[in-house]
Amino acid sequence: RGYALAGQELFLEPWESGQRDEAAAARSLSEVADDPALGIRPALEQVEAKADAWRTRYAEPILTQVQAGRPVTVSPMLGKQLFDDLRASLTALQRDLDRSAADARHDLNSSAGRLQLVGLLLAIGLVVLLLVLVFGLRRVVLRPLSALTAEVRRVAGGDFDAEVHGSGPREIVALGADVEAMRRQIVAEFHALRDTTA
């Protein structure tokens, strides 16, 4: 309107920057408009159609007439009506975008909650596994090893007639058998030595 009244190029700056902003916004929205989760393609197309109608039926005829030096014959009421239609379409598009953003925030929060739950379950699972390993190691390895140690100490303490038996894993059983064989050998040699000296 300022350009139509004054005919100075200075008044075209908002028009030109607005067109650049519109093109950039349309490009950005077009990249995501086909996402069915957003569902904004129809609203975006309506905004683009209304913007094109305002531009071709109101703004560009004014530019052409002023640049040609002719009086402006385009009705300001037509421009207002076309721009009001465009504004209504923009409001509908913004409402769709706001709804999509709220849905995305909700989905993100739900995913974050599920991720926290999975992390908590994994931590609990690791603690349970660690406890099972500790108690399992104690029951399967440490107890039989402690029992074997006690039997060996009894023999080492002078009770040569006490037998040594390993229990638990086969390595501990084999160690117990070796210690028992050694005990028997020592006892046999002790008896043989005693018999020869007697």
Side-chain angles (χ1 to χ4, degrees):
R1 273 182 259 170
Y3 180 69
L5 293 173
Q8 295 180 4
E9 297 287 325
L10 175 67
F11 289 103
L12 288 181
E13 176 55 33
W15 158 261
E16 291 166 353
S17 66
Q19 284 192 307
R20 287 192 299 271
D21 292 345
E22 176 194 358
R27 274 194 307 276
S28 296
L29 286 173
S30 290
E31 293 174 4
V32 296
D34 292 326
D35 185 347
L38 295 178
I40 62 167
R41 173 59 70 184
L44 178 59
E45 288 176 351
Q46 187 175 34
V47 166
E48 289 173 337
K50 295 290 177 72
D52 190 55
W54 179 82
R55 189 172 35 254
T56 57
R57 294 178 55 198
Y58 179 72
E60 289 175 354
I62 289 176
L63 291 173
T64 303
Q65 290 172 357
V66 170
Q67 288 168 353
R70 293 180 303 187
V72 175
T73 59
V74 181
S75 165
M77 291 307 294
L78 174 64
K80 181 180 179 327
Q81 177 190 354
L82 291 171
F83 203 80
D84 287 345
D85 289 347
L86 172 59
R87 189 177 290 119
S89 296
L90 279 169
T91 301
L93 176 61
Q94 187 62 52
R95 189 171 48 245
D96 289 347
L97 289 171
D98 291 343
R99 177 190 46 77
S100 296
D103 291 346
R105 275 192 301 275
H106 178 267
D107 291 346
L108 183 63
N109 290 337
S110 296
S111 296
R114 284 192 296 273
L115 186 61
Q116 286 177 341
L117 179 61
V118 168
L120 180 63
L121 291 175
L122 280 174
I124 290 171
L126 286 173
V127 168
V128 168
L129 179 63
L130 185 62
L131 290 174
V132 166
L133 288 174
V134 166
F135 287 117
L137 179 68
R138 184 181 175 108
R139 184 170 178 265
V140 172
V141 176
L142 296 180
R143 278 187 189 165
L145 201 54
S146 294
L148 179 61
T149 302
E151 290 177 3
V152 169
R153 284 187 180 148
R154 200 165 96 201
V155 171
D159 188 2
F160 298 116
D161 292 329
E163 292 187 0
V164 177
H165 300 289
S167 63
R170 91 175 153 235
E171 290 83 3
I172 296 176
V173 171
L175 180 60
D178 290 343
V179 171
E180 174 62 15
M182 185 174 62
R183 183 196 68 82
R184 285 185 183 177
Q185 179 70 30
I186 292 171
V187 169
E189 289 179 10
F190 173 73
H191 286 305
L193 182 63
R194 189 180 57 184
D195 289 345
T196 57
T197 58

